[in-house]
Amino acid sequence: MRLFILGALAASAFAAEPKLKEFKPGRFNLFSPEQDVQLGKESADEVRKTMPVLNNAELTAYVNRIGARLAKSKRAGGYPYTFEVVNDPSINAFALPGGPMFVHTGLLASLDNESQLAGVLAHEISHVALRHGTSNVSKANVIQLPAMLGGQMLGNKGGIWGTLGQLGIGLGAQSLLLKYSRGAEQDADLNGAQIMHDAGYDPTQMAAFFQKLEGPNGGDNSKLANFMSDHPTPGNRVKYVNDQNKLLPKKAFSEPEAAALPRVKQLVAGLPPPPPPPKPIAPQTGGGQGTPNPLPSGKYRQHQGPDFVLSYPDNWEVFGDPNSPSVTIAPRAGVVQSQQGSAIGYGLMTSYYFPQDGRGNLQRDTADLVKQLQASQVKQTANAKSVRVGGQPARLTPMESPSPFNGQREIDMLLTIARPEALFYIVFISPESEWAATQKAFDDVVASFQFTK
Ligand SMILES: [Zn+2]
């Protein structure tokens, strides 16, 4: 019997075939998928104000028909995709979080066939479905982002986009939202090839098009500069896409719009030259310095998060989606809007941190987060202390940083608790001068804290 089991195990190990990889969004993202959609909508409005988006029904309908076929794939994540054409001779296409996509006329002019356009769109759809843009922003702003996402609730008329804009996360080719790592590029290629296959397009055409663009005879490089800087080459696209193709079921591919492409190219060639780019919009100026008040009232109300409860001073407010683990709880005057961005100067933030490797070790995961924070202007000022919170082991790490309140230092007391999925943290923030008056309230918050799941 024992021999039989061993034999069966060995046989299954040797018989293991490479399996088609299913791509999923990364775990570390402080935005909800709904916030991706909202951010994308706001950003698309900005694009329409600053770029020559075409009002040509025939061209837009062509790109939309191809896009809609791809968006139906379950690997497209079900986002509300829209496809628009920008009158710009450079070879580029970009997708904003949550689905709005823009294709340059220069890209349409350079197509050999419909499948190549499907390839670019499927690649861009994959960046949306795998949430690469908001994941980048999340990683770049471990501490500030929960406050930013909360800040949109302050009646800031810019919405999420305005708040991110104030943070210095700009739109366009330079934007963090559209800059991808080589790993993200490869995932977008492979997931995109699967989407093409689902929609009946030949997946090899995506890699073929990218290779044509990158190749020595790839044409005018100045037309490609933005595309290549946003989508760094992740190695041998043709090879890994072809390797994956072997794992996909055989099927016949087609190009339902093949007859339309010559007409599309003719329309593009007949367009008037794009207008000169508009002058940059002057940066928004913020509300200036606030004063850190009111102090905690001494009375409390309860906040019920998705997996925890805590009590907070009843003259403070919860900013952000109360069902998200990332919320900012602060007095209105504790959130400072300035030219550098909105910043939380007084209050507390809760969120999860996903350490690079491994999870579940409180000391190591806390050290990992502290290291991330020290890469910005937050510095540890004393050794971490072991404490217990809600019956669980926790660590309290004293840190400090420049306060958004004029010229002051700020205390950032970091409380961390290891959870099976990631490291939960609360940062208590106060200007140094107010710390003594605030510490009692923070102690009360800690004493009230409980996980509910
Ligand atoms: Zn890409």
Side-chain angles (χ1 to χ4, degrees), residues 246-263:
K246 291 177 196 145
L247 306 175
L248 292 164
K250 292 264 171 300
K251 76 194 265 190
F253 302 120
S254 66
E255 296 194 329
E257 305 287 331
L261 186 57
R263 166 79 180 147

Side-chain angles (χ1 to χ4, degrees), residues 279-342:
K279 290 194 199 87
I281 298 163
Q284 285 178 22
T285 48
Q289 305 298 333
T291 2
N293 70 72
L295 286 168
S297 63
K299 290 190 201 126
Y300 292 88
R301 68 170 69 146
Q302 196 177 62
H303 168 65
Q304 171 93 56
D307 56 356
F308 64 87
V309 290
L310 57 75
S311 298
Y312 63 94
D314 72 353
N315 59 331
W316 292 12
E317 293 173 51
V318 178
F319 297 106
D321 178 355
N323 298 314
S324 159
S326 297
V327 289
T328 297
I329 303 180
R332 205 157 264 265
V335 184
V336 182
Q337 311 278 345
S338 74
Q339 266 172 304
Q340 284 75 45
S342 31

Side-chain angles (χ1 to χ4, degrees), residues 123 127 180 185 231:
H123 175 100
H127 282 310
Y180 306 119
E185 282 307 302
H231 303 262

Side-chain angles (χ1 to χ4, degrees), residues 191-447:
N191 190 68
Q194 294 182 25
I195 290 175
M196 290 181 81
H197 185 273
D198 287 345
Y201 286 110
D202 175 3
T204 61
Q205 284 298 319
M206 181 208 304
F209 184 59
F210 284 149
Q211 204 183 35
K212 171 182 133 161
L213 297 184
E214 289 157 17
N217 304 315
D220 183 351
N221 276 331
S222 67
K223 284 188 177 177
L224 266 175
N226 276 342
F227 188 78
M228 296 324 287
S229 78
D230 296 347
H231 303 262
T233 307
N236 193 338
R237 290 192 139 114
V238 174
K239 178 168 183 333
Y240 63 66
V241 170
N242 284 341
D243 285 349
Q244 177 182 263
N245 283 347
K246 291 177 196 145
L247 306 175
L248 292 164
K250 292 264 171 300
K251 76 194 265 190
F253 302 120
S254 66
E255 296 194 329
E257 305 287 331
L261 186 57
R263 166 79 180 147
V264 162
K265 291 198 169 198
Q266 193 187 13
L267 282 172
V268 167
L271 288 171
K279 290 194 199 87
I281 298 163
Q284 285 178 22
T285 48
Q289 305 298 333
T291 2
N293 70 72
L295 286 168
S297 63
K299 290 190 201 126
Y300 292 88
R301 68 170 69 146
Q302 196 177 62
H303 168 65
Q304 171 93 56
D307 56 356
F308 64 87
V309 290
L310 57 75
S311 298
Y312 63 94
D314 72 353
N315 59 331
W316 292 12
E317 293 173 51
V318 178
F319 297 106
D321 178 355
N323 298 314
S324 159
S326 297
V327 289
T328 297
I329 303 180
R332 205 157 264 265
V335 184
V336 182
Q337 311 278 345
S338 74
Q339 266 172 304
Q340 284 75 45
S342 31
I344 174 91
Y346 198 2
L348 65 93
M349 282 187 264
T350 69
S351 196
Y352 274 100
Y353 174 67
F354 297 86
Q356 288 289 314
D357 25 57
R359 296 188 302 281
N361 181 318
L362 176 60
Q363 199 160 341
R364 199 183 56 204
D365 293 354
T366 301
D368 195 279
L369 173 57
V370 168
K371 207 171 112 196
Q372 286 284 322
L373 294 174
Q374 292 194 327
S376 60
Q377 288 193 69
V378 190
K379 302 282 170 251
Q380 184 170 352
T381 52
N383 289 334
K385 270 199 312 197
S386 292
V387 292
R388 287 191 83 78
V389 175
Q392 307 215 32
R395 276 179 96 72
L396 202 54
T397 309
M399 307 190 79
E400 66 161 42
S401 62
S403 170
F405 295 113
N406 214 0
Q408 294 203 50
R409 300 297 296 169
E410 117 184 346
I411 309 271
D412 302 296
M413 194 58 79
L414 176 69
L415 180 76
T416 46
I417 306 169
R419 297 283 283 163
E421 62 274 33
L423 185 72
F424 181 82
Y425 68 83
I426 307 180
V427 198
F428 298 97
I429 299 160
S430 163
E432 202 166 29
S433 59
E434 306 284 339
W435 181 254
T438 316
Q439 204 178 353
K440 162 85 171 71
F442 289 158
D443 288 346
D444 289 344
V445 173
V446 172

